[in-house]
Amino acid sequence: MKAIILTENGGADKLILKEIDKPVIKPNEVLIKTKALSINPVDGFVRTKEAYVKRILQPTPGEDMILGWDVSGTVVETGSEVTGLKNGDEVFGMVNFPGSGKAYAEYVAAPAGQLTIKPANVSHSEAAAATLAALTAWQSLVTYAKVKPGDKVLIHAAAGGVGHYAVQIAKHFGAYVIGTGSANNRDFVIAQGADEFIDYSKEKFEEKVQDADVVIDGVFGDHILRSLDAVKGGGRVISLLTFFEGEIAAKATAKEVFTHRLGVVSNGTDMEVIAKLLADGILRSYISARYSFADIPKAHEEIAGGKTRGKIVVEL
Ligand SMILES: NC(=O)c1ccc[n+]([C@@H]2O[C@H](COP(=O)([O-])OP(=O)(O)OC[C@H]3O[C@@H](n4cnc5c(N)ncnc54)[C@H](OP(=O)(O)O)[C@@H]3O)[C@@H](O)[C@H]2O)c1
Protein backbone atom coordinates (compact mmCIF):
# COMPACT_ATOMS: atom_id res chain seq x y z
CA MET A 1 0.00 0.00 0.00
CA LYS A 2 0.98 3.64 -0.32
CA ALA A 3 1.97 5.55 2.79
CA ILE A 4 3.61 8.88 3.52
CA ILE A 5 6.69 8.33 5.67
CA LEU A 6 8.44 10.95 7.79
CA THR A 7 12.11 10.27 7.05
CA GLU A 8 13.45 12.65 9.74
CA ASN A 9 12.42 15.86 11.47
CA GLY A 10 12.45 18.80 9.11
CA GLY A 11 10.52 20.53 6.33
CA ALA A 12 7.59 19.14 4.37
CA ASP A 13 10.15 17.63 1.96
CA LYS A 14 10.84 15.01 4.69
CA LEU A 15 7.40 13.50 3.95
CA ILE A 16 8.00 10.83 1.31
CA LEU A 17 5.51 8.64 -0.58
CA LYS A 18 6.54 5.00 -0.13
CA GLU A 19 5.15 1.54 -0.92
CA ILE A 20 4.99 -0.52 2.31
CA ASP A 21 3.17 -3.60 3.62
CA LYS A 22 -0.41 -3.22 4.84
CA PRO A 23 -0.60 -3.11 8.66
CA VAL A 24 -1.42 -6.37 10.45
CA ILE A 25 -4.33 -5.83 12.84
CA LYS A 26 -4.42 -6.84 16.51
CA PRO A 27 -7.44 -8.72 17.92
CA ASN A 28 -9.07 -5.46 19.13
CA GLU A 29 -8.48 -3.60 15.86
CA VAL A 30 -10.09 -3.20 12.46
CA LEU A 31 -8.34 -2.43 9.16
CA ILE A 32 -9.75 0.68 7.49
CA LYS A 33 -9.44 1.37 3.76
CA THR A 34 -8.89 5.12 3.97
CA LYS A 35 -11.26 7.41 2.04
CA ALA A 36 -10.26 10.69 3.68
CA LEU A 37 -8.00 11.99 6.42
CA SER A 38 -7.46 15.39 7.92
CA ILE A 39 -4.48 17.54 8.78
CA ASN A 40 -3.91 19.38 12.07
CA PRO A 41 -1.26 21.82 13.31
CA VAL A 42 0.17 19.02 15.49
CA ASP A 43 1.10 17.09 12.32
CA GLY A 44 3.52 19.91 11.49
CA PHE A 45 4.80 20.15 15.08
CA VAL A 46 5.69 16.44 15.07
CA ARG A 47 7.22 16.72 11.60
CA THR A 48 9.53 19.54 12.61
CA LYS A 49 10.41 18.78 16.25
CA GLU A 50 11.98 15.66 17.74
CA ALA A 51 10.48 16.52 21.15
CA TYR A 52 6.99 16.16 19.65
CA VAL A 53 7.96 12.83 18.06
CA LYS A 54 8.85 11.55 21.54
CA ARG A 55 5.88 13.13 23.32
CA ILE A 56 3.13 12.46 20.79
CA LEU A 57 4.12 10.00 18.03
CA GLN A 58 6.02 7.64 20.37
CA PRO A 59 7.20 5.37 17.48
CA THR A 60 8.58 1.90 18.13
CA PRO A 61 12.34 1.94 17.38
CA GLY A 62 13.07 0.80 13.83
CA GLU A 63 9.54 1.22 12.46
CA ASP A 64 8.57 3.73 9.76
CA MET A 65 7.35 7.03 11.22
CA ILE A 66 3.90 7.70 9.77
CA LEU A 67 1.99 10.80 10.85
CA GLY A 68 -1.76 11.36 10.88
CA TRP A 69 -4.53 10.46 13.30
CA ASP A 70 -7.80 11.51 11.64
CA VAL A 71 -9.34 8.92 9.36
CA SER A 72 -12.62 8.06 7.67
CA GLY A 73 -13.07 4.95 5.54
CA THR A 74 -14.41 1.42 5.16
CA VAL A 75 -13.72 -1.55 7.44
CA VAL A 76 -12.09 -4.33 5.36
CA GLU A 77 -10.79 -6.63 8.14
CA THR A 78 -12.03 -7.18 11.67
CA GLY A 79 -9.99 -8.47 14.63
CA SER A 80 -11.16 -11.56 16.54
CA GLU A 81 -12.14 -9.55 19.66
CA VAL A 82 -14.09 -6.85 17.79
CA THR A 83 -17.83 -7.05 18.40
CA GLY A 84 -19.29 -3.64 17.48
CA LEU A 85 -18.01 -3.32 13.89
CA LYS A 86 -18.00 -5.56 10.80
CA ASN A 87 -16.47 -5.58 7.33
CA GLY A 88 -18.15 -3.03 5.08
CA ASP A 89 -18.96 -0.56 7.87
CA GLU A 90 -18.13 3.07 7.10
CA VAL A 91 -16.31 4.42 10.14
CA PHE A 92 -14.35 7.44 11.34
CA GLY A 93 -12.30 8.47 14.35
CA MET A 94 -9.04 9.76 15.78
CA VAL A 95 -6.63 6.83 15.98
CA ASN A 96 -4.18 6.37 18.89
CA PHE A 97 -3.73 9.97 19.94
CA PRO A 98 -1.33 10.50 21.58
CA GLY A 99 0.63 7.72 19.89
CA SER A 100 1.12 6.42 16.37
CA GLY A 101 -2.12 6.79 14.40
CA LYS A 102 -0.40 6.16 11.05
CA ALA A 103 -3.30 7.67 9.17
CA TYR A 104 -1.21 8.86 6.19
CA ALA A 105 -1.76 5.49 4.53
CA GLU A 106 -4.13 3.66 2.21
CA TYR A 107 -4.92 1.23 5.05
CA VAL A 108 -5.01 2.11 8.75
CA ALA A 109 -5.14 -0.33 11.70
CA ALA A 110 -7.33 1.19 14.41
CA PRO A 111 -8.68 0.02 17.78
CA ALA A 112 -12.42 -0.51 17.19
CA GLY A 113 -13.16 1.26 20.50
CA GLN A 114 -11.80 4.55 19.11
CA LEU A 115 -14.10 4.57 16.06
CA THR A 116 -17.73 5.12 15.36
CA ILE A 117 -20.06 4.63 12.40
CA LYS A 118 -20.01 7.49 9.88
CA PRO A 119 -23.51 8.96 9.43
CA ALA A 120 -24.84 8.25 5.92
CA ASN A 121 -25.63 11.94 5.35
CA VAL A 122 -22.03 12.99 6.07
CA SER A 123 -19.23 12.57 3.52
CA HIS A 124 -15.96 10.81 4.35
CA SER A 125 -14.19 14.18 4.09
CA GLU A 126 -16.61 15.88 6.49
CA ALA A 127 -16.24 12.93 8.87
CA ALA A 128 -12.43 12.84 8.70
CA ALA A 129 -12.44 16.57 9.47
CA ALA A 130 -14.55 16.08 12.61
CA THR A 131 -12.10 13.95 14.55
CA LEU A 132 -9.07 15.48 16.37
CA ALA A 133 -10.39 19.05 16.07
CA ALA A 134 -13.98 18.18 17.00
CA LEU A 135 -12.84 15.94 19.88
CA THR A 136 -10.67 18.80 21.16
CA ALA A 137 -13.62 21.17 21.09
CA TRP A 138 -15.87 18.60 22.80
CA GLN A 139 -13.39 17.53 25.48
CA SER A 140 -12.49 21.19 26.22
CA LEU A 141 -16.02 22.52 26.46
CA VAL A 142 -17.98 19.56 27.75
CA THR A 143 -15.61 17.19 29.57
CA TYR A 144 -13.54 19.86 31.35
CA ALA A 145 -15.28 23.27 31.15
CA LYS A 146 -18.72 21.67 31.69
CA VAL A 147 -20.39 24.35 29.58
CA LYS A 148 -24.01 25.06 30.46
CA PRO A 149 -26.87 27.26 29.20
CA GLY A 150 -26.25 30.98 29.70
CA ASP A 151 -22.48 30.67 30.09
CA LYS A 152 -20.49 33.40 28.35
CA VAL A 153 -17.88 31.46 26.37
CA LEU A 154 -14.86 33.12 24.74
CA ILE A 155 -13.38 30.99 21.96
CA HIS A 156 -10.05 32.03 20.50
CA ALA A 157 -9.09 31.14 16.92
CA ALA A 158 -12.81 30.65 16.35
CA ALA A 159 -12.41 30.31 12.58
CA GLY A 160 -9.91 27.44 12.80
CA GLY A 161 -10.39 23.70 12.97
CA VAL A 162 -11.02 23.46 16.72
CA GLY A 163 -12.62 26.90 16.94
CA HIS A 164 -15.36 26.42 14.36
CA TYR A 165 -16.50 23.20 16.05
CA ALA A 166 -16.22 24.82 19.50
CA VAL A 167 -18.49 27.70 18.48
CA GLN A 168 -21.12 25.26 17.23
CA ILE A 169 -20.91 23.02 20.32
CA ALA A 170 -21.05 25.94 22.77
CA LYS A 171 -24.13 27.33 20.99
CA HIS A 172 -25.73 23.87 21.06
CA PHE A 173 -25.31 23.91 24.86
CA GLY A 174 -27.08 27.30 25.06
CA ALA A 175 -24.01 29.45 25.72
CA TYR A 176 -23.48 33.08 24.70
CA VAL A 177 -20.47 32.75 22.37
CA ILE A 178 -17.76 35.29 21.56
CA GLY A 179 -15.22 34.27 18.91
CA THR A 180 -11.88 35.88 18.08
CA GLY A 181 -10.26 36.02 14.67
CA SER A 182 -9.13 38.48 12.03
CA ALA A 183 -11.60 40.71 10.19
CA ASN A 184 -11.98 38.52 7.11
CA ASN A 185 -13.29 35.69 9.32
CA ARG A 186 -16.02 37.76 11.01
CA ASP A 187 -18.87 36.56 8.78
CA PHE A 188 -17.63 32.96 8.91
CA VAL A 189 -17.48 32.86 12.74
CA ILE A 190 -20.90 34.50 13.06
CA ALA A 191 -22.24 31.93 10.56
CA GLN A 192 -20.99 29.15 12.88
CA GLY A 193 -23.34 30.61 15.52
CA ALA A 194 -21.21 33.10 17.47
CA ASP A 195 -23.10 35.98 19.09
CA GLU A 196 -20.12 38.34 18.96
CA PHE A 197 -16.82 38.55 17.11
CA ILE A 198 -13.63 40.28 18.22
CA ASP A 199 -11.06 41.18 15.55
CA TYR A 200 -7.79 40.55 17.39
CA SER A 201 -5.84 42.75 14.99
CA LYS A 202 -7.86 45.84 16.00
CA GLU A 203 -9.12 45.20 19.54
CA LYS A 204 -7.77 43.69 22.75
CA PHE A 205 -10.20 40.95 23.71
CA GLU A 206 -9.44 41.38 27.44
CA GLU A 207 -10.57 45.02 27.21
CA LYS A 208 -13.92 43.93 25.76
CA VAL A 209 -14.49 40.84 27.92
CA GLN A 210 -13.69 40.50 31.63
CA ASP A 211 -16.59 38.30 32.71
CA ALA A 212 -16.35 35.12 30.62
CA ASP A 213 -17.45 31.95 32.37
CA VAL A 214 -15.31 29.86 30.03
CA VAL A 215 -12.32 30.62 27.78
CA ILE A 216 -10.87 28.17 25.25
CA ASP A 217 -7.35 29.30 24.31
CA GLY A 218 -5.23 27.74 21.57
CA VAL A 219 -2.99 30.73 20.78
CA PHE A 220 0.74 30.84 21.61
CA GLY A 221 2.62 33.44 23.66
CA ASP A 222 1.29 35.53 26.55
CA HIS A 223 -2.25 34.94 25.26
CA ILE A 224 -3.17 32.69 28.18
CA LEU A 225 -2.32 35.47 30.67
CA ARG A 226 -4.66 37.77 28.77
CA SER A 227 -7.33 35.04 28.78
CA LEU A 228 -7.05 35.02 32.58
CA ASP A 229 -7.95 38.74 32.46
CA ALA A 230 -10.99 37.94 30.31
CA VAL A 231 -12.38 35.22 32.59
CA LYS A 232 -14.39 36.10 35.68
CA GLY A 233 -13.29 35.01 39.15
CA GLY A 234 -14.20 31.36 39.63
CA GLY A 235 -14.50 30.81 35.85
CA ARG A 236 -12.89 28.09 33.72
CA VAL A 237 -9.95 28.41 31.31
CA ILE A 238 -8.95 25.54 29.05
CA SER A 239 -5.58 25.89 27.34
CA LEU A 240 -4.76 23.91 24.22
CA LEU A 241 -1.10 24.94 24.16
CA THR A 242 0.40 26.68 27.19
CA PHE A 243 0.78 24.80 30.47
CA PHE A 244 -0.44 26.43 33.69
CA GLU A 245 2.87 26.96 35.44
CA GLY A 246 4.69 29.78 37.26
CA GLU A 247 3.17 33.24 36.76
CA ILE A 248 0.25 31.78 34.79
CA ALA A 249 -0.69 29.31 37.53
CA ALA A 250 -0.32 32.01 40.20
CA LYS A 251 -2.66 34.36 38.34
CA ALA A 252 -5.25 31.60 37.90
CA THR A 253 -5.06 30.64 41.58
CA ALA A 254 -5.48 34.27 42.69
CA LYS A 255 -8.72 34.47 40.66
CA GLU A 256 -9.84 31.00 41.79
CA VAL A 257 -10.14 29.96 38.15
CA PHE A 258 -10.48 26.30 37.21
CA THR A 259 -7.73 25.55 34.71
CA HIS A 260 -6.96 22.60 32.51
CA ARG A 261 -4.30 22.17 29.85
CA LEU A 262 -6.06 19.82 27.48
CA GLY A 263 -4.31 16.96 25.76
CA VAL A 264 -6.94 15.51 23.47
CA VAL A 265 -7.25 11.71 23.67
CA SER A 266 -8.84 9.11 21.39
CA ASN A 267 -12.29 8.24 22.71
CA GLY A 268 -14.93 6.19 20.89
CA THR A 269 -17.73 7.32 23.21
CA ASP A 270 -17.01 10.98 22.43
CA MET A 271 -16.84 10.06 18.72
CA GLU A 272 -20.35 8.58 18.96
CA VAL A 273 -21.67 11.88 20.33
CA ILE A 274 -19.91 13.80 17.55
CA ALA A 275 -21.37 11.40 14.95
CA LYS A 276 -24.89 12.03 16.30
CA LEU A 277 -24.38 15.81 16.23
CA LEU A 278 -23.14 15.53 12.61
CA ALA A 279 -26.05 13.26 11.64
CA ASP A 280 -28.55 15.73 13.13
CA GLY A 281 -26.95 18.71 11.36
CA ILE A 282 -26.08 20.35 14.72
CA LEU A 283 -22.37 20.07 13.96
CA ARG A 284 -21.04 20.80 10.48
CA SER A 285 -17.51 20.47 9.11
CA TYR A 286 -16.32 23.38 7.03
CA ILE A 287 -13.62 22.24 4.59
CA SER A 288 -11.54 25.02 3.11
CA ALA A 289 -9.01 22.90 1.20
CA ARG A 290 -8.84 19.40 -0.27
CA TYR A 291 -5.58 17.73 -1.26
CA SER A 292 -4.69 14.47 -3.00
CA PHE A 293 -2.70 11.86 -1.05
CA ALA A 294 0.54 12.69 -2.87
CA ASP A 295 0.07 16.36 -2.00
CA ILE A 296 0.14 15.88 1.80
CA PRO A 297 3.39 17.93 1.95
CA LYS A 298 1.47 20.85 0.39
CA ALA A 299 -1.28 20.44 3.00
CA HIS A 300 1.44 20.66 5.69
CA GLU A 301 2.70 23.91 4.23
CA GLU A 302 -0.80 25.36 4.19
CA ILE A 303 -1.67 24.49 7.80
CA ALA A 304 1.69 25.86 8.99
CA GLY A 305 0.57 29.28 7.72
CA GLY A 306 -1.81 29.50 10.70
CA LYS A 307 -4.64 30.99 8.60
CA THR A 308 -6.73 27.86 8.02
CA ARG A 309 -10.48 28.42 7.96
CA GLY A 310 -12.23 25.27 9.21
CA LYS A 311 -10.39 22.13 8.12
CA ILE A 312 -7.94 20.86 5.52
CA VAL A 313 -8.62 17.32 4.29
CA VAL A 314 -6.85 14.78 2.11
CA GLU A 315 -9.02 12.63 -0.15
CA LEU A 316 -8.00 9.19 -1.44
N1 LIG B 1 -3.72 20.27 23.24
C1 LIG B 1 -4.49 19.66 22.36
O1 LIG B 1 -4.96 18.54 22.60
C2 LIG B 1 -4.80 20.35 21.05
C3 LIG B 1 -5.71 19.77 20.18
C4 LIG B 1 -6.02 20.45 19.00
C5 LIG B 1 -5.39 21.65 18.70
N2 LIG B 1 -4.47 22.14 19.56
C6 LIG B 1 -3.81 23.44 19.26
O2 LIG B 1 -4.79 24.45 19.26
C7 LIG B 1 -4.50 25.41 18.26
C8 LIG B 1 -5.72 25.55 17.34
O3 LIG B 1 -5.85 24.34 16.61
P1 LIG B 1 -6.64 24.34 15.24
O4 LIG B 1 -6.65 22.97 14.70
O5 LIG B 1 -7.94 25.06 15.38
O6 LIG B 1 -5.65 25.27 14.37
P2 LIG B 1 -5.91 25.97 12.98
O7 LIG B 1 -7.08 25.38 12.29
O8 LIG B 1 -4.62 25.99 12.26
O9 LIG B 1 -6.26 27.47 13.42
C9 LIG B 1 -6.20 28.45 12.44
C10 LIG B 1 -6.97 29.66 12.90
O10 LIG B 1 -6.27 30.34 13.96
C11 LIG B 1 -6.69 31.70 13.90
N3 LIG B 1 -5.75 32.54 14.62
C12 LIG B 1 -4.41 32.64 14.44
N4 LIG B 1 -3.89 33.53 15.32
C13 LIG B 1 -4.94 34.00 16.07
C14 LIG B 1 -5.06 34.94 17.14
N5 LIG B 1 -3.99 35.59 17.63
N6 LIG B 1 -6.28 35.16 17.67
C15 LIG B 1 -7.36 34.52 17.19
N7 LIG B 1 -7.31 33.63 16.16
C16 LIG B 1 -6.12 33.38 15.62
C17 LIG B 1 -6.74 31.99 12.42
O11 LIG B 1 -7.67 33.00 12.21
P3 LIG B 1 -7.30 34.29 11.31
O12 LIG B 1 -6.95 33.71 9.95
O13 LIG B 1 -8.53 35.08 11.32
O14 LIG B 1 -6.09 34.91 11.94
C18 LIG B 1 -7.18 30.65 11.80
O15 LIG B 1 -8.53 30.63 11.44
C19 LIG B 1 -3.24 24.93 17.53
O16 LIG B 1 -2.11 25.58 18.05
C20 LIG B 1 -3.20 23.45 17.87
O17 LIG B 1 -1.90 22.93 17.88
C21 LIG B 1 -4.16 21.53 20.73
Side-chain angles (χ1 to χ4, degrees), residues 40-42 45 97 132-133 136 156-163 180-185 197 200 218-220 223 239-241 261-264 303 306-311:
N40 296 286
V42 71
F45 300 162
F97 194 94
L132 188 149
T136 301
H156 292 302
V162 175
T180 67
S182 62
N184 67 330
N185 276 319
F197 180 82
Y200 66 81
V219 179
F220 282 108
H223 215 262
S239 171
L240 307 182
L241 288 174
R261 197 287 188 180
L262 186 89
V264 67
I303 201 134
K307 301 300 284 180
T308 303
R309 179 181 285 177
K311 290 293 301 171

Side-chain angles (χ1 to χ4, degrees), residues 23-298:
V24 176
I25 56 170
K26 297 179 185 143
N28 67 332
E29 291 181 337
V30 298
L31 189 67
I32 303 168
K33 185 169 193 331
T34 309
K35 296 282 179 65
L37 59 99
S38 82
I39 307 288
N40 296 286
V42 71
D43 302 30
F45 300 162
V46 176
R47 188 195 79 230
T48 51
K49 294 199 170 54
E50 199 185 349
Y52 277 89
V53 170
K54 288 191 179 134
R55 199 171 91 206
I56 292 172
L57 196 64
Q58 303 162 11
T60 309
E63 73 177 341
D64 282 324
M65 285 196 289
I66 303 176
L67 302 181
W69 293 271
D70 293 351
V71 66
S72 184
T74 310
V75 174
V76 292
E77 277 178 40
T78 311
S80 57
E81 291 172 7
V82 173
T83 51
L85 297 174
K86 59 183 187 317
N87 291 359
D89 282 347
E90 312 267 295
V91 295
F92 72 119
M94 177 179 78
V95 181
N96 292 334
F97 194 94
S100 278
K102 301 191 177 199
Y104 291 2
E106 282 183 297
Y107 292 89
V108 176
Q114 297 179 359
L115 305 172
T116 194
I117 298 286
K118 179 187 76 64
N121 59 342
V122 171
S123 70
H124 280 290
S125 295
E126 291 164 331
T131 47
L132 188 149
L135 282 170
T136 301
W138 179 267
Q139 292 175 5
S140 295
L141 283 166
V142 183
T143 311
Y144 290 100
K146 303 199 185 307
V147 65
K148 59 182 189 312
D151 275 348
K152 185 181 269 194
V153 178
L154 176 62
I155 296 169
H156 292 302
V162 175
H164 90 298
Y165 291 124
V167 169
Q168 297 176 62
I169 290 168
K171 276 312 285 181
H172 175 60
F173 276 79
Y176 181 88
V177 178
I178 305 168
T180 67
S182 62
N184 67 330
N185 276 319
R186 177 183 297 275
D187 292 349
F188 175 71
V189 171
I190 296 292
Q192 305 310 301
D195 298 283
E196 274 183 54
F197 180 82
I198 299 175
D199 172 0
Y200 66 81
S201 67
K202 295 209 174 59
E203 299 171 290
K204 288 200 156 168
F205 65 84
E206 68 273 30
E207 287 174 3
K208 293 200 79 179
V209 184
Q210 285 114 27
D211 60 348
D213 296 283
V214 175
V215 184
I216 308 295
D217 193 337
V219 179
F220 282 108
D222 68 347
H223 215 262
I224 197 76
L225 282 169
R226 296 170 55 203
S227 286
L228 286 165
D229 289 328
V231 73
K232 71 180 189 190
R236 292 94 86 195
V237 177
I238 310 299
S239 171
L240 307 182
L241 288 174
T242 310
F243 287 87
F244 292 92
E245 295 166 344
E247 180 193 1
I248 301 167
K251 188 167 179 176
T253 304
K255 277 187 92 168
E256 297 184 344
V257 170
F258 168 82
T259 59
H260 182 74
R261 197 287 188 180
L262 186 89
V264 67
V265 287
S266 296
N267 184 318
T269 307
D270 288 351
M271 280 311 306
E272 271 177 42
V273 181
I274 287 164
K276 174 88 169 71
L277 293 174
L278 289 168
D280 292 347
I282 291 164
L283 197 63
R284 290 195 176 85
S285 296
Y286 180 86
I287 296 169
S288 57
R290 297 166 194 265
Y291 287 89
S292 69
F293 190 66
D295 279 341
I296 283 180
K298 288 185 185 160

